[in-house]
Structures are given as C-alpha cells and as structure tokens.
Amino acid sequence: MSEPANSADSVDEDAPTGVFLRASPKRSAREVLPDDERRRTFDTLHAEVKALRVLVEQLAGPKLVTVADAAIRLGVSEVTIRRHVRSGRLPYKRFGRSIRVDLSRLG
C-alpha cells in the first residue's frame, strides 16, 4: 500500500471545497426587504437603541466632571459654571473644597 506523495493527493474530489468558508455576496436592505418592512424594522431598531441608551445612562449613575470640563462641554466660561452652581441652576456635588458638576442630570 503506497501513501500519497503529499496531502493534496489525498483530497476527495467529490467533497465540496470551501462551501462554508466562502462569504456570501453582500446585499443591501433594499434588495432584501420591501420599503414598508424596511421602515418598520428601522423604526423598531431605532426605538430599541433609544431605550437602551436611556437604560445605560440610568445605570451609569452621575457623570461628575470638574468645573473646567463642564465649561468646555457646555461651551461657557468657568465663571459662568461657578455662578450657576452658586445659584443652584446646575446640579453638583462637593468633595472637600472641589466641586464636581453632575452632567447626567442636565437633561
């Protein structure tokens, strides 16, 4: 009994080659779904993403940032941030002498 010279000789000619490894051609949603179904699917997914975003923000808790970071993110000066903190317009927490603005409660 002789062994094949290399492994390529031992491949079964009738076996499918790479059927499961080949990527199927990409098709857009327009080719797969009619317009009304595509719109309903998009609306459903969009609503689910919004609900998940709200849930993640609730679970994440407060987003406390420094006065300087709050000023940059809100596009105002640090003096304005401090003025709003003093007047009670901005939610904040004190850690010793430092102030952290709670951006998650700004809405």
Side-chain angles (χ1 to χ4, degrees):
M1 205 178 214
S2 69
E3 292 290 321
N6 61 32
S7 62
D9 295 337
S10 64
V11 174
D12 183 11
E13 295 297 324
D14 296 329
T17 56
V19 172
F20 299 107
L21 300 178
R22 259 186 252 144
S24 62
K26 292 184 179 183
R27 296 189 309 186
S28 70
R30 287 195 172 101
E31 295 172 344
V32 178
L33 297 172
D35 286 343
D36 59 333
E37 277 188 63
R38 188 173 66 241
R39 186 66 195 171
R40 277 196 309 268
T41 302
F42 174 78
D43 290 343
T44 303
L45 288 175
H46 185 67
E48 289 178 9
V49 167
K50 282 176 87 172
L52 284 173
R53 184 179 297 138
V54 168
L55 183 63
V56 166
E57 288 175 2
Q58 289 173 351
L59 293 175
K63 183 171 187 157
L64 301 175
V65 297
T66 64
V67 171
D69 286 340
I72 291 169
R73 291 179 189 208
L74 298 175
V76 296
S77 70
E78 289 183 37
V79 173
T80 302
I81 296 293
R82 290 183 192 282
R83 192 178 319 125
H84 288 312
V85 164
R86 234 179 286 122
S87 70
R89 284 195 227 165
L90 272 178
Y92 70 97
K93 298 215 186 274
R94 278 200 175 270
F95 296 99
R97 291 182 56 188
S98 64
I99 296 172
R100 297 292 185 261
V101 178
D102 188 359
L103 293 182
S104 65
R105 291 184 41 207
L106 287 180

